[in-house]
Amino acid sequence: MRTARLTVDPAFRVGPVRRHTFGSFVEHLGRCVYTGIHDPGHPTADADGFRRDVIDLTRELGVSTVRYPGGNFVSGYRWEDGIGPVEQRPRRLDLAWHSTEPNTVGVDEFMRWCAAAHVEPMMAVNLGTRGIQDALELLEYCNVPSGTHFSDLRRANGAADPYRVKFWCLGNEMDGPWQLGHKTAREYGRLAAETARAMRMVDPDLALVACGSSGTTMPTFGEWERIVLTESYEEVDLISAHAYYREEDGDLASFLASAVDMDRFISAVAATADAVRAAKKLDKRIHVSFDEWNVWYRLRAESPPPTGDDWPVAPVLLEDRYNVADAVVVGSLLISLLRNTDRVHAASLAQLVNVIAPIMTEPGGRVWKQTIFHPFAQASNLASGDVLRVAIDSPTHETAKWGDVTDVDAVASHDAETGETVVFVVNRSTTEDITLEVDVRSLGAVRVLAATTLHNPDHTWAATADDDSSVAPRPNATATVTDGALTAVVPPVSWSVLRIGR
Ligand code: AHR
């Protein structure tokens, strides 16, 4: 059997485990909002029509922030359509997803949902068809206590206290030709800078996210970040990154190693930001908001938006069904986000419900967990304290896309207060069991508190509404600690969580 040697040491600290790493995303897209989080006829619906069963799973998932209302949707959105008496709200064409937006859910309902789900809102403003004025008015509506037109309007709509939204995305994917109001880097960089400067006049304590690239394969990747930050560095705090991965042409090995791309993406954006910083002779650092990431099979039948005369409300869109390999990739992407915690200060799994989502619903019916729910919930609920880089000496295998990659990838968290250390590990080999030998001598006398592995002999197993639990993280009885060495056997295509402590 192959052996991978790992070393975990609190001296290998990268930075804190950030709650904002475990954000998600709710877009007015397909059935994410309508019949997803919102389903007034559902037996568990609350007074706002929000499904309690979805709220419960959102909490179980351990989501920290939720980005809203898009996504591509936001670039044509008029936020004021979604406030005031529901029966007076206009129905609008949603050009991004060729749908009809009924505006039954808007900013006030979303804020109430956030409160119920115990999540922090992360708002996006429309810099596609709109601009600075609209962003200012939405900010005033959300964050100004009272005494002005929009703050008093919010109060009249039932919210006496301001929402105090801290994180704001300055548009969405403005580098993408598919985006309404798509711009060049120079055009967007200027707009982002001026929008940010104006928003800070209203509220200086915001965390403002400029749009970075929609993926590393964008022709403008790199130059986009350099130009946008050259224009806006002084005004913004973070730059976004978006990445979706999928298994292509049956190449499971490359797919399982998708985190190679995420690592490179983060370091390229950080390097570009630092180059702008050097050129401008500034101390301030720009951080990364990885505010869309997931597995997404874009070419599947459920992904394309409707066409022609049909402008449905909440059509079935992007309802990917995730298998065990997809969950292992999601786990490996979480490893990448965590080990880059010095530069990644926020991230959002795209999305939360029904649309490329860990949580699925039947309209009026059942709620269920996809396979990708498990690694996210475990990482979010168990990582605490500091993130530790793990030194990895692992067998490798060849992949078509990324060359030689290690069979094993891992990161750890260490909580000095509780004394608990958690090792998050993926085995990316498609065929081999691997014995892990983890040097934990630096942690003193520790024992295994719990060890689980998510794996199935058939890695294409996918959950359904009828069975979302027969494949899930299960206790890994091979995990033991002897003489400062944690050993465990991890099967091919698997995600494991090893908790050790006193
Ligand atoms: O998350 C689905 C879509 O992917 C978002 O609307 C867009 O920002 C991205 O292209």
Side-chain angles (χ1 to χ4, degrees), residues 145-165:
S146 65
T148 64
H149 176 75
F150 285 105
S151 59
D152 287 341
L153 195 52
R154 182 199 69 240
R155 291 168 66 86
N157 288 334
D161 295 326
Y163 297 127
R164 296 200 172 86
V165 179

mmCIF file with all atom_site columns, all heavy atoms in Angstrom, residues 145-165:
data_model
loop_
_atom_site.group_PDB
_atom_site.id
_atom_site.type_symbol
_atom_site.label_atom_id
_atom_site.label_alt_id
_atom_site.label_comp_id
_atom_site.label_asym_id
_atom_site.label_entity_id
_atom_site.label_seq_id
_atom_site.pdbx_PDB_ins_code
_atom_site.Cartn_x
_atom_site.Cartn_y
_atom_site.Cartn_z
_atom_site.occupancy
_atom_site.B_iso_or_equiv
_atom_site.pdbx_formal_charge
_atom_site.auth_seq_id
_atom_site.auth_comp_id
_atom_site.auth_asym_id
_atom_site.auth_atom_id
_atom_site.pdbx_PDB_model_num
ATOM 1   N N   . PRO A 1 145 ? -29.412 54.902 9.665  1.00 0.00 ? 145 PRO A N   1
ATOM 2   C CA  . PRO A 1 145 ? -30.434 54.630 10.687 1.00 0.00 ? 145 PRO A CA  1
ATOM 3   C C   . PRO A 1 145 ? -31.795 55.259 10.376 1.00 0.00 ? 145 PRO A C   1
ATOM 4   O O   . PRO A 1 145 ? -32.820 54.562 10.418 1.00 0.00 ? 145 PRO A O   1
ATOM 5   C CB  . PRO A 1 145 ? -29.828 55.214 11.965 1.00 0.00 ? 145 PRO A CB  1
ATOM 6   C CG  . PRO A 1 145 ? -28.346 55.186 11.736 1.00 0.00 ? 145 PRO A CG  1
ATOM 7   C CD  . PRO A 1 145 ? -28.161 55.424 10.263 1.00 0.00 ? 145 PRO A CD  1
ATOM 8   N N   . SER A 1 146 ? -31.847 56.573 10.083 1.00 0.00 ? 146 SER A N   1
ATOM 9   C CA  . SER A 1 146 ? -33.147 57.211 9.859  1.00 0.00 ? 146 SER A CA  1
ATOM 10  C C   . SER A 1 146 ? -32.931 58.651 9.423  1.00 0.00 ? 146 SER A C   1
ATOM 11  O O   . SER A 1 146 ? -31.804 59.151 9.407  1.00 0.00 ? 146 SER A O   1
ATOM 12  C CB  . SER A 1 146 ? -34.003 57.207 11.141 1.00 0.00 ? 146 SER A CB  1
ATOM 13  O OG  . SER A 1 146 ? -33.375 58.010 12.129 1.00 0.00 ? 146 SER A OG  1
ATOM 14  N N   . GLY A 1 147 ? -34.043 59.314 9.068  1.00 0.00 ? 147 GLY A N   1
ATOM 15  C CA  . GLY A 1 147 ? -34.006 60.748 8.811  1.00 0.00 ? 147 GLY A CA  1
ATOM 16  C C   . GLY A 1 147 ? -33.700 61.131 7.384  1.00 0.00 ? 147 GLY A C   1
ATOM 17  O O   . GLY A 1 147 ? -33.507 62.308 7.087  1.00 0.00 ? 147 GLY A O   1
ATOM 18  N N   . THR A 1 148 ? -33.627 60.145 6.476  1.00 0.00 ? 148 THR A N   1
ATOM 19  C CA  . THR A 1 148 ? -33.432 60.448 5.054  1.00 0.00 ? 148 THR A CA  1
ATOM 20  C C   . THR A 1 148 ? -34.477 59.676 4.256  1.00 0.00 ? 148 THR A C   1
ATOM 21  O O   . THR A 1 148 ? -35.107 58.744 4.786  1.00 0.00 ? 148 THR A O   1
ATOM 22  C CB  . THR A 1 148 ? -32.039 60.029 4.557  1.00 0.00 ? 148 THR A CB  1
ATOM 23  O OG1 . THR A 1 148 ? -31.935 58.595 4.675  1.00 0.00 ? 148 THR A OG1 1
ATOM 24  C CG2 . THR A 1 148 ? -30.927 60.680 5.360  1.00 0.00 ? 148 THR A CG2 1
ATOM 25  N N   . HIS A 1 149 ? -34.612 60.027 2.987  1.00 0.00 ? 149 HIS A N   1
ATOM 26  C CA  . HIS A 1 149 ? -35.671 59.416 2.187  1.00 0.00 ? 149 HIS A CA  1
ATOM 27  C C   . HIS A 1 149 ? -35.628 57.891 2.230  1.00 0.00 ? 149 HIS A C   1
ATOM 28  O O   . HIS A 1 149 ? -36.617 57.233 2.574  1.00 0.00 ? 149 HIS A O   1
ATOM 29  C CB  . HIS A 1 149 ? -35.562 59.907 0.738  1.00 0.00 ? 149 HIS A CB  1
ATOM 30  C CG  . HIS A 1 149 ? -36.550 59.245 -0.167 1.00 0.00 ? 149 HIS A CG  1
ATOM 31  N ND1 . HIS A 1 149 ? -37.892 59.559 -0.169 1.00 0.00 ? 149 HIS A ND1 1
ATOM 32  C CD2 . HIS A 1 149 ? -36.401 58.247 -1.075 1.00 0.00 ? 149 HIS A CD2 1
ATOM 33  C CE1 . HIS A 1 149 ? -38.521 58.798 -1.033 1.00 0.00 ? 149 HIS A CE1 1
ATOM 34  N NE2 . HIS A 1 149 ? -37.634 57.991 -1.610 1.00 0.00 ? 149 HIS A NE2 1
ATOM 35  N N   . PHE A 1 150 ? -34.451 57.316 1.895  1.00 0.00 ? 150 PHE A N   1
ATOM 36  C CA  . PHE A 1 150 ? -34.429 55.858 1.772  1.00 0.00 ? 150 PHE A CA  1
ATOM 37  C C   . PHE A 1 150 ? -34.382 55.155 3.131  1.00 0.00 ? 150 PHE A C   1
ATOM 38  O O   . PHE A 1 150 ? -34.928 54.064 3.290  1.00 0.00 ? 150 PHE A O   1
ATOM 39  C CB  . PHE A 1 150 ? -33.277 55.417 0.864  1.00 0.00 ? 150 PHE A CB  1
ATOM 40  C CG  . PHE A 1 150 ? -33.583 55.671 -0.589 1.00 0.00 ? 150 PHE A CG  1
ATOM 41  C CD1 . PHE A 1 150 ? -32.991 56.726 -1.276 1.00 0.00 ? 150 PHE A CD1 1
ATOM 42  C CD2 . PHE A 1 150 ? -34.510 54.881 -1.257 1.00 0.00 ? 150 PHE A CD2 1
ATOM 43  C CE1 . PHE A 1 150 ? -33.301 56.963 -2.604 1.00 0.00 ? 150 PHE A CE1 1
ATOM 44  C CE2 . PHE A 1 150 ? -34.826 55.120 -2.591 1.00 0.00 ? 150 PHE A CE2 1
ATOM 45  C CZ  . PHE A 1 150 ? -34.220 56.167 -3.270 1.00 0.00 ? 150 PHE A CZ  1
ATOM 46  N N   . SER A 1 151 ? -33.742 55.781 4.123  1.00 0.00 ? 151 SER A N   1
ATOM 47  C CA  . SER A 1 151 ? -33.740 55.125 5.438  1.00 0.00 ? 151 SER A CA  1
ATOM 48  C C   . SER A 1 151 ? -35.146 55.158 6.039  1.00 0.00 ? 151 SER A C   1
ATOM 49  O O   . SER A 1 151 ? -35.589 54.180 6.666  1.00 0.00 ? 151 SER A O   1
ATOM 50  C CB  . SER A 1 151 ? -32.727 55.787 6.375  1.00 0.00 ? 151 SER A CB  1
ATOM 51  O OG  . SER A 1 151 ? -33.022 57.163 6.552  1.00 0.00 ? 151 SER A OG  1
ATOM 52  N N   . ASP A 1 152 ? -35.860 56.256 5.815  1.00 0.00 ? 152 ASP A N   1
ATOM 53  C CA  . ASP A 1 152 ? -37.233 56.310 6.336  1.00 0.00 ? 152 ASP A CA  1
ATOM 54  C C   . ASP A 1 152 ? -38.164 55.369 5.566  1.00 0.00 ? 152 ASP A C   1
ATOM 55  O O   . ASP A 1 152 ? -39.131 54.839 6.127  1.00 0.00 ? 152 ASP A O   1
ATOM 56  C CB  . ASP A 1 152 ? -37.741 57.755 6.317  1.00 0.00 ? 152 ASP A CB  1
ATOM 57  C CG  . ASP A 1 152 ? -37.078 58.597 7.417  1.00 0.00 ? 152 ASP A CG  1
ATOM 58  O OD1 . ASP A 1 152 ? -36.530 57.991 8.372  1.00 0.00 ? 152 ASP A OD1 1
ATOM 59  O OD2 . ASP A 1 152 ? -37.087 59.834 7.316  1.00 0.00 ? 152 ASP A OD2 1
ATOM 60  N N   . LEU A 1 153 ? -37.847 55.186 4.298  1.00 0.00 ? 153 LEU A N   1
ATOM 61  C CA  . LEU A 1 153 ? -38.628 54.217 3.511  1.00 0.00 ? 153 LEU A CA  1
ATOM 62  C C   . LEU A 1 153 ? -38.454 52.808 4.099  1.00 0.00 ? 153 LEU A C   1
ATOM 63  O O   . LEU A 1 153 ? -39.412 52.046 4.239  1.00 0.00 ? 153 LEU A O   1
ATOM 64  C CB  . LEU A 1 153 ? -38.144 54.266 2.061  1.00 0.00 ? 153 LEU A CB  1
ATOM 65  C CG  . LEU A 1 153 ? -38.992 53.625 0.980  1.00 0.00 ? 153 LEU A CG  1
ATOM 66  C CD1 . LEU A 1 153 ? -40.431 54.116 1.017  1.00 0.00 ? 153 LEU A CD1 1
ATOM 67  C CD2 . LEU A 1 153 ? -38.366 53.920 -0.396 1.00 0.00 ? 153 LEU A CD2 1
ATOM 68  N N   . ARG A 1 154 ? -37.211 52.474 4.451  1.00 0.00 ? 154 ARG A N   1
ATOM 69  C CA  . ARG A 1 154 ? -36.969 51.160 5.075  1.00 0.00 ? 154 ARG A CA  1
ATOM 70  C C   . ARG A 1 154 ? -37.763 51.046 6.368  1.00 0.00 ? 154 ARG A C   1
ATOM 71  O O   . ARG A 1 154 ? -38.406 50.018 6.625  1.00 0.00 ? 154 ARG A O   1
ATOM 72  C CB  . ARG A 1 154 ? -35.474 50.997 5.373  1.00 0.00 ? 154 ARG A CB  1
ATOM 73  C CG  . ARG A 1 154 ? -35.137 49.632 5.983  1.00 0.00 ? 154 ARG A CG  1
ATOM 74  C CD  . ARG A 1 154 ? -33.787 49.643 6.693  1.00 0.00 ? 154 ARG A CD  1
ATOM 75  N NE  . ARG A 1 154 ? -33.839 50.460 7.894  1.00 0.00 ? 154 ARG A NE  1
ATOM 76  C CZ  . ARG A 1 154 ? -33.086 51.534 8.116  1.00 0.00 ? 154 ARG A CZ  1
ATOM 77  N NH1 . ARG A 1 154 ? -32.199 51.930 7.230  1.00 0.00 ? 154 ARG A NH1 1
ATOM 78  N NH2 . ARG A 1 154 ? -33.221 52.238 9.243  1.00 0.00 ? 154 ARG A NH2 1
ATOM 79  N N   . ARG A 1 155 ? -37.746 52.109 7.156  1.00 0.00 ? 155 ARG A N   1
ATOM 80  C CA  . ARG A 1 155 ? -38.490 52.074 8.419  1.00 0.00 ? 155 ARG A CA  1
ATOM 81  C C   . ARG A 1 155 ? -39.981 51.916 8.151  1.00 0.00 ? 155 ARG A C   1
ATOM 82  O O   . ARG A 1 155 ? -40.671 51.143 8.829  1.00 0.00 ? 155 ARG A O   1
ATOM 83  C CB  . ARG A 1 155 ? -38.208 53.338 9.227  1.00 0.00 ? 155 ARG A CB  1
ATOM 84  C CG  . ARG A 1 155 ? -36.773 53.385 9.757  1.00 0.00 ? 155 ARG A CG  1
ATOM 85  C CD  . ARG A 1 155 ? -36.412 54.758 10.296 1.00 0.00 ? 155 ARG A CD  1
ATOM 86  N NE  . ARG A 1 155 ? -37.196 55.104 11.490 1.00 0.00 ? 155 ARG A NE  1
ATOM 87  C CZ  . ARG A 1 155 ? -36.886 54.779 12.735 1.00 0.00 ? 155 ARG A CZ  1
ATOM 88  N NH1 . ARG A 1 155 ? -35.771 54.117 12.969 1.00 0.00 ? 155 ARG A NH1 1
ATOM 89  N NH2 . ARG A 1 155 ? -37.648 55.127 13.738 1.00 0.00 ? 155 ARG A NH2 1
ATOM 90  N N   . ALA A 1 156 ? -40.452 52.637 7.125  1.00 0.00 ? 156 ALA A N   1
ATOM 91  C CA  . ALA A 1 156 ? -41.876 52.509 6.786  1.00 0.00 ? 156 ALA A CA  1
ATOM 92  C C   . ALA A 1 156 ? -42.194 51.079 6.324  1.00 0.00 ? 156 ALA A C   1
ATOM 93  O O   . ALA A 1 156 ? -43.320 50.593 6.476  1.00 0.00 ? 156 ALA A O   1
ATOM 94  C CB  . ALA A 1 156 ? -42.237 53.505 5.687  1.00 0.00 ? 156 ALA A CB  1
ATOM 95  N N   . ASN A 1 157 ? -41.208 50.423 5.772  1.00 0.00 ? 157 ASN A N   1
ATOM 96  C CA  . ASN A 1 157 ? -41.409 49.041 5.317  1.00 0.00 ? 157 ASN A CA  1
ATOM 97  C C   . ASN A 1 157 ? -41.176 48.023 6.433  1.00 0.00 ? 157 ASN A C   1
ATOM 98  O O   . ASN A 1 157 ? -41.094 46.821 6.181  1.00 0.00 ? 157 ASN A O   1
ATOM 99  C CB  . ASN A 1 157 ? -40.491 48.729 4.130  1.00 0.00 ? 157 ASN A CB  1
ATOM 100 C CG  . ASN A 1 157 ? -40.955 49.451 2.873  1.00 0.00 ? 157 ASN A CG  1
ATOM 101 O OD1 . ASN A 1 157 ? -42.134 49.767 2.741  1.00 0.00 ? 157 ASN A OD1 1
ATOM 102 N ND2 . ASN A 1 157 ? -40.039 49.710 1.950  1.00 0.00 ? 157 ASN A ND2 1
ATOM 103 N N   . GLY A 1 158 ? -41.027 48.526 7.657  1.00 0.00 ? 158 GLY A N   1
ATOM 104 C CA  . GLY A 1 158 ? -41.044 47.605 8.798  1.00 0.00 ? 158 GLY A CA  1
ATOM 105 C C   . GLY A 1 158 ? -39.704 47.346 9.464  1.00 0.00 ? 158 GLY A C   1
ATOM 106 O O   . GLY A 1 158 ? -39.646 46.590 10.428 1.00 0.00 ? 158 GLY A O   1
ATOM 107 N N   . ALA A 1 159 ? -38.597 47.933 8.962  1.00 0.00 ? 159 ALA A N   1
ATOM 108 C CA  . ALA A 1 159 ? -37.290 47.670 9.579  1.00 0.00 ? 159 ALA A CA  1
ATOM 109 C C   . ALA A 1 159 ? -36.815 48.936 10.288 1.00 0.00 ? 159 ALA A C   1
ATOM 110 O O   . ALA A 1 159 ? -36.214 49.821 9.672  1.00 0.00 ? 159 ALA A O   1
ATOM 111 C CB  . ALA A 1 159 ? -36.282 47.220 8.534  1.00 0.00 ? 159 ALA A CB  1
ATOM 112 N N   . ALA A 1 160 ? -37.085 49.028 11.582 1.00 0.00 ? 160 ALA A N   1
ATOM 113 C CA  . ALA A 1 160 ? -36.715 50.234 12.333 1.00 0.00 ? 160 ALA A CA  1
ATOM 114 C C   . ALA A 1 160 ? -35.203 50.399 12.409 1.00 0.00 ? 160 ALA A C   1
ATOM 115 O O   . ALA A 1 160 ? -34.691 51.514 12.333 1.00 0.00 ? 160 ALA A O   1
ATOM 116 C CB  . ALA A 1 160 ? -37.312 50.145 13.741 1.00 0.00 ? 160 ALA A CB  1
ATOM 117 N N   . ASP A 1 161 ? -34.510 49.297 12.560 1.00 0.00 ? 161 ASP A N   1
ATOM 118 C CA  . ASP A 1 161 ? -33.044 49.382 12.684 1.00 0.00 ? 161 ASP A CA  1
ATOM 119 C C   . ASP A 1 161 ? -32.381 49.156 11.329 1.00 0.00 ? 161 ASP A C   1
ATOM 120 O O   . ASP A 1 161 ? -32.856 48.344 10.520 1.00 0.00 ? 161 ASP A O   1
ATOM 121 C CB  . ASP A 1 161 ? -32.533 48.310 13.655 1.00 0.00 ? 161 ASP A CB  1
ATOM 122 C CG  . ASP A 1 161 ? -33.043 48.571 15.056 1.00 0.00 ? 161 ASP A CG  1
ATOM 123 O OD1 . ASP A 1 161 ? -33.182 49.763 15.414 1.00 0.00 ? 161 ASP A OD1 1
ATOM 124 O OD2 . ASP A 1 161 ? -33.327 47.587 15.773 1.00 0.00 ? 161 ASP A OD2 1
ATOM 125 N N   . PRO A 1 162 ? -31.254 49.843 11.109 1.00 0.00 ? 162 PRO A N   1
ATOM 126 C CA  . PRO A 1 162 ? -30.538 49.597 9.849  1.00 0.00 ? 162 PRO A CA  1
ATOM 127 C C   . PRO A 1 162 ? -29.984 48.173 9.808  1.00 0.00 ? 162 PRO A C   1
ATOM 128 O O   . PRO A 1 162 ? -29.756 47.564 10.852 1.00 0.00 ? 162 PRO A O   1
ATOM 129 C CB  . PRO A 1 162 ? -29.407 50.630 9.881  1.00 0.00 ? 162 PRO A CB  1
ATOM 130 C CG  . PRO A 1 162 ? -29.239 51.004 11.308 1.00 0.00 ? 162 PRO A CG  1
ATOM 131 C CD  . PRO A 1 162 ? -30.577 50.833 11.965 1.00 0.00 ? 162 PRO A CD  1
ATOM 132 N N   . TYR A 1 163 ? -29.755 47.686 8.603  1.00 0.00 ? 163 TYR A N   1
ATOM 133 C CA  . TYR A 1 163 ? -29.255 46.309 8.467  1.00 0.00 ? 163 TYR A CA  1
ATOM 134 C C   . TYR A 1 163 ? -27.749 46.231 8.678  1.00 0.00 ? 163 TYR A C   1
ATOM 135 O O   . TYR A 1 163 ? -27.211 45.147 8.872  1.00 0.00 ? 163 TYR A O   1
ATOM 136 C CB  . TYR A 1 163 ? -29.617 45.764 7.083  1.00 0.00 ? 163 TYR A CB  1
ATOM 137 C CG  . TYR A 1 163 ? -31.102 45.663 6.840  1.00 0.00 ? 163 TYR A CG  1
ATOM 138 C CD1 . TYR A 1 163 ? -31.678 46.238 5.714  1.00 0.00 ? 163 TYR A CD1 1
ATOM 139 C CD2 . TYR A 1 163 ? -31.926 44.997 7.749  1.00 0.00 ? 163 TYR A CD2 1
ATOM 140 C CE1 . TYR A 1 163 ? -33.045 46.147 5.489  1.00 0.00 ? 163 TYR A CE1 1
ATOM 141 C CE2 . TYR A 1 163 ? -33.295 44.901 7.524  1.00 0.00 ? 163 TYR A CE2 1
ATOM 142 C CZ  . TYR A 1 163 ? -33.843 45.483 6.392  1.00 0.00 ? 163 TYR A CZ  1
ATOM 143 O OH  . TYR A 1 163 ? -35.196 45.388 6.170  1.00 0.00 ? 163 TYR A OH  1
ATOM 144 N N   . ARG A 1 164 ? -27.074 47.380 8.572  1.00 0.00 ? 164 ARG A N   1
ATOM 145 C CA  . ARG A 1 164 ? -25.621 47.445 8.802  1.00 0.00 ? 164 ARG A CA  1
ATOM 146 C C   . ARG A 1 164 ? -24.882 46.370 8.004  1.00 0.00 ? 164 ARG A C   1
ATOM 147 O O   . ARG A 1 164 ? -24.119 45.560 8.551  1.00 0.00 ? 164 ARG A O   1
ATOM 148 C CB  . ARG A 1 164 ? -25.281 47.312 10.283 1.00 0.00 ? 164 ARG A CB  1
ATOM 149 C CG  . ARG A 1 164 ? -25.820 48.456 11.105 1.00 0.00 ? 164 ARG A CG  1
ATOM 150 C CD  . ARG A 1 164 ? -25.115 48.627 12.443 1.00 0.00 ? 164 ARG A CD  1
ATOM 151 N NE  . ARG A 1 164 ? -25.563 49.852 13.087 1.00 0.00 ? 164 ARG A NE  1
ATOM 152 C CZ  . ARG A 1 164 ? -26.649 49.946 13.850 1.00 0.00 ? 164 ARG A CZ  1
ATOM 153 N NH1 . ARG A 1 164 ? -27.383 48.893 14.094 1.00 0.00 ? 164 ARG A NH1 1
ATOM 154 N NH2 . ARG A 1 164 ? -26.999 51.103 14.367 1.00 0.00 ? 164 ARG A NH2 1
ATOM 155 N N   . VAL A 1 165 ? -25.094 46.351 6.708  1.00 0.00 ? 165 VAL A N   1
ATOM 156 C CA  . VAL A 1 165 ? -24.415 45.377 5.840  1.00 0.00 ? 165 VAL A CA  1
ATOM 157 C C   . VAL A 1 165 ? -22.976 45.840 5.638  1.00 0.00 ? 165 VAL A C   1
ATOM 158 O O   . VAL A 1 165 ? -22.734 46.986 5.247  1.00 0.00 ? 165 VAL A O   1
ATOM 159 C CB  . VAL A 1 165 ? -25.126 45.268 4.471  1.00 0.00 ? 165 VAL A CB  1
ATOM 160 C CG1 . VAL A 1 165 ? -24.393 44.282 3.576  1.00 0.00 ? 165 VAL A CG1 1
ATOM 161 C CG2 . VAL A 1 165 ? -26.583 44.872 4.660  1.00 0.00 ? 165 VAL A CG2 1
#
